[in-house]
Amino acid sequence: MDTKDQFIQHIEEGYSTKGDFITMGSAILNEETITNAFVKIPLKTLNRHGLIAGATGTGKTKTLQVIAENLSEKGIPVLLMDLKGDLSGLAQPSPGHAKIEERHAKIGLPFTAKSFPVEILSLSEQEGVKLRATVSEFGPILLSRILNLSVTQEGIVAVVFKYCDDNHFPLLDLKDFKKVLQYATGEGKKEFTDSYGRISTSSTGTILRKIIELEQQGAELFFGEKSFDVEDLTRIDEKGMGYINILRLTDIQDRPKLFSTFMLSLLAEIYATFPEQGDSDRPELVLFIDEAHLIFKEASKALLDQIESIVKLIRSKGIGLYFVTQNPTDVPDAVLSQLGLKVQHALRAFTAKDRKAIKLTAENYPISEYYDTKEVLTSLGIGEALISALDEKGRPTPLAATMLRAPMSRMDVLTEQELKAVIGGSKLVSKYNETIDRESAYEILNEKIDRAEKMAEREKDSPSRKTTSRRTSTRQNPVIKVLTSATFIRGVLGVLKKVMR
């Protein structure tokens, strides 16, 4: 048996699967030898998370597109974080091209042009289904992580949530939260001191400044009602295809804190909402985070710990999480170690730092007798990648340099008219795009302050009237009050069930 036959047998045995799967393409032995040994990823392992990495222009986005299409075709919904704005073409079939036909002839797979059911989502003022969440749904722990607060400041946030729980004050948006903070050290200082202990003005000032920083990145558009129901991400169309939900993020690339805030909120809400799947044969939902380094760019140690915890836990809910970035080193080691599928496009060695990164990347892949991994990483062509996955038993598959199949949908953006047609046909736009501003903590406290001021004026006008009262101290250790409150019971992920819909 020659080297080519041995290699084909090696790949076919390593990527054999009894269950359902998606086909990525055909294994490449060397520059001259493209085999018809298909690289197949079992659906069963796609909730084990993954990485798509490579230099600019090597085909990462098209690989993301291919995987999303194949998942949708299998009836698995997908959520794509589209920071560059180049994924909307999934809603239209590929126009075809001679190079696509040539590629698929080499791979040994037929090519079919196809469109997919697409939902356009938005975090900002861009058109699309609006994604929102209330401050209460974040909870004190997650909000504190986002704001990068000290232990003392976290305690104050917990007390604010406890106060709002005790008094049934809805915390819907950031102006609600700021109002309660100001009240705690202003007109309501005595009330807070009696019931929860003294709150430092300097600490609340620091928290307020950090909230303002978050607002400056556009967070006021995200916090509020109507809250998005994450189960709407799991829709299937009438043909049995999973919806591809595209979140347009082109206008928040320079606002990493808002992006991190949204991602943690979404993952925490999914974890709290979705039931345990156990050892399922297919994922419930798969998320792709393009330009993933933005999540980690300005993240504090506490925030990174939160992300790592969610990545470890969320796969038991049948959720697959895929990071798309230029270099694997953009992703923290603790997260990287949790990833089952790795699709590595070419890397470029222009500097000593680049060469070091290539060496580190090569060490993250299984040793192969058929490849010099460091050399292959710099010689891969566009639309080619090194792939390492997990088989149905959770074992790493052989390393395979792969010629990837082409996307079935358009490899370009929708026109403005096509985009409006997709959004206009959405069933979710009417459900979520009405802004609701019902009475919440901000309005309730303003009314309470007004009543107190009017009562003080009346008492001032009637100096002869004397009243006596016996005050019973309701003071309790604030830590005990917080630990026994509904606020704490929300859990470490800080998610409140949406009982107020």
Side-chain angles (χ1 to χ4, degrees):
M1 187 181 292
D2 63 19
T3 301
K4 179 182 175 181
D5 291 336
Q6 290 174 336
F7 175 73
I8 291 173
Q9 182 178 343
H10 176 65
I11 295 298
E12 288 178 341
E13 289 177 355
Y15 286 90
S16 65
T17 173
K18 294 179 180 178
D20 208 351
F21 58 88
I22 63 174
T23 303
M24 298 294 293
S26 288
I28 305 170
L29 175 57
N30 51 51
E31 290 183 9
E32 293 80 29
T33 309
I34 299 168
T35 72
N36 289 145
F38 296 130
V39 175
K40 298 177 287 190
I41 314 299
L43 293 186
K44 186 173 183 175
T45 65
L46 284 171
N47 67 332
R48 300 295 185 91
H49 313 316
L51 173 75
I52 302 172
T56 300
T58 55
K60 297 189 301 296
T61 301
K62 302 306 173 244
T63 299
L64 183 163
Q65 192 170 341
V66 164
I67 298 175
E69 289 174 345
N70 281 269
L71 288 169
S72 174
E73 206 171 32
K74 300 289 185 182
I76 299 171
V78 174
L79 174 61
L80 307 179
M81 310 294 168
D82 187 10
L83 276 96
K84 299 190 293 292
D86 50 8
L87 291 170
S88 61
L90 281 153
Q92 291 289 330
S94 168
H97 195 278
K99 288 187 176 180
I100 293 177
E101 297 294 342
E102 181 184 348
R103 171 177 287 263
H104 275 256
K106 289 180 179 178
I107 292 173
L109 284 173
F111 176 76
T112 305
K114 186 181 291 188
S115 62
F116 295 84
V118 164
E119 191 73 64
I120 303 295
L121 312 177
S122 174
L123 267 182
S124 62
E125 293 178 342
Q126 287 186 316
E127 288 186 312
V129 179
K130 303 301 181 188
L131 300 190
R132 297 188 185 93
T134 66
V135 172
S136 285
E137 286 161 347
F138 256 66
I141 296 175
L142 187 54
L143 187 62
S144 296
R145 296 290 186 270
I146 289 294
L147 297 175
N148 194 23
L149 302 181
S150 67
V151 173
T152 300
Q153 291 158 359
E154 284 184 18
I156 291 173
V157 171
V159 167
V160 166
F161 273 76
K162 176 67 169 71
Y163 172 79
C164 292
D165 278 343
D166 290 347
N167 291 278
H168 307 291
F169 292 173
L171 277 175
L172 304 182
D173 51 29
L174 291 176
K175 77 175 188 294
D176 289 328
F177 188 76
K178 289 193 298 181
K179 186 65 182 180
V180 182
L181 269 180
Q182 291 162 346
Y183 181 76
T185 54
E187 295 88 345
K189 183 176 180 179
K190 184 176 184 301
E191 179 185 355
F192 265 82
T193 301
D194 289 346
S195 299
Y196 307 99
R198 191 177 70 83
I199 292 178
S200 164
T201 304
S202 61
S203 292
T204 57
T206 300
I207 298 170
L208 282 169
R209 286 191 294 274
K210 293 191 175 186
I211 293 173
I212 291 169
E213 178 189 347
L214 194 60
E215 285 179 319
Q216 288 173 339
Q217 295 206 12
E220 73 280 358
L221 295 172
F222 172 60
F223 286 101
E225 293 185 307
K226 184 178 183 179
S227 299
F228 187 81
D229 184 349
V230 291
E231 291 190 359
D232 278 331
L233 296 173
T234 63
R235 294 183 303 143
I236 308 295
D237 77 353
E238 63 279 357
K239 297 178 182 178
M241 298 175 71
Y243 264 87
I244 298 178
N245 304 279
I246 301 175
L247 177 57
R248 302 171 74 200
L249 298 167
T250 54
D251 57 346
I252 69 165
Q253 290 189 40
D254 59 344
R255 293 178 278 176
K257 190 173 284 289
L258 177 59
F259 186 42
S260 298
T261 299
F262 162 73
M263 275 308 307
L264 276 177
S265 167
L266 178 71
L267 294 175
E269 183 71 4
I270 287 173
Y271 181 79
T273 303
F274 283 48
E276 290 285 339
Q277 292 288 320
D279 194 16
S280 176
D281 289 333
R282 52 195 284 127
E284 185 78 10
L285 174 70
V286 176
L287 288 74
F288 291 86
I289 305 171
D290 203 0
E291 303 296 328
H293 65 279
L294 292 178
I295 291 185
F296 309 107
K297 185 176 180 181
E298 296 182 4
S300 64
K301 177 65 167 61
L303 191 54
L304 285 174
D305 289 345
Q306 193 83 18
I307 294 171
E308 291 164 15
S309 296
I310 291 175
V311 168
K312 290 175 184 177
L313 295 170
I314 204 168
R315 72 182 184 189
S316 68
K317 303 299 184 93
I319 309 300
L321 189 58
Y322 287 76
F323 300 95
V324 185
T325 190
Q326 290 193 18
N327 199 302
T329 56
D330 295 335
V331 181
D333 288 343
V335 174
L336 203 60
S337 65
Q338 299 292 317
L339 309 182
L341 172 64
K342 294 177 183 176
V343 181
Q344 179 65 60
H345 288 268
L347 293 174
R348 306 300 183 217
F350 297 120
T351 66
K353 185 178 180 181
D354 290 338
R355 289 190 289 274
K356 184 178 180 181
I358 289 169
K359 182 180 178 182
L360 289 173
T361 300
E363 291 172 354
N364 283 324
Y365 287 88
I367 295 172
S368 172
E369 60 182 290
Y370 297 99
Y371 303 115
D372 179 337
T373 308
K374 292 196 295 293
E375 183 180 327
V376 173
L377 280 172
T378 58
S379 62
L380 289 165
I382 296 172
E384 298 176 356
L386 282 173
I387 293 180
S388 174
L390 298 175
D391 67 15
E392 289 174 311
K393 294 183 178 180
R395 300 169 302 195
T397 57
L399 187 64
T402 307
M403 176 172 279
L404 299 161
R405 64 192 300 173
M408 293 177 275
S409 58
R410 185 191 294 175
M411 289 189 279
D412 198 359
V413 298
L414 297 180
T415 65
E416 194 65 31
Q417 187 176 359
E418 289 170 334
L419 189 62
K420 286 183 178 179
V422 171
I423 295 170
S426 169
K427 295 179 180 179
L428 298 184
V429 167
S430 59
K431 181 177 179 180
Y432 291 111
N433 283 25
E434 179 188 358
T435 301
I436 301 171
D437 190 14
R438 63 187 173 93
E439 186 178 65
S440 53
Y442 180 84
E443 291 81 11
I444 294 169
L445 284 176
N446 276 335
E447 289 176 7
K448 186 173 182 177
I449 292 167
D450 287 343
R451 287 196 302 271
E453 289 175 349
K454 289 175 182 177
M455 184 177 291
E457 286 294 324
R458 285 198 297 270
E459 289 180 354
K460 184 179 178 181
D461 293 339
S462 304
S464 59
R465 183 179 176 186
K466 294 182 180 180
T467 58
T468 59
S469 64
R470 179 179 298 175
R471 180 169 64 87
T472 302
S473 174
T474 58
R475 190 178 177 91
Q476 185 181 350
N477 186 318
V479 174
I480 298 299
K481 290 184 72 67
V482 170
L483 290 177
T484 57
S485 72
T487 296
F488 185 81
I489 296 170
R490 287 187 181 96
V492 297
L493 294 176
V495 178
L496 175 68
K497 292 183 179 177
K498 299 174 181 175
V499 297
M500 304 177 71
R501 287 190 183 138

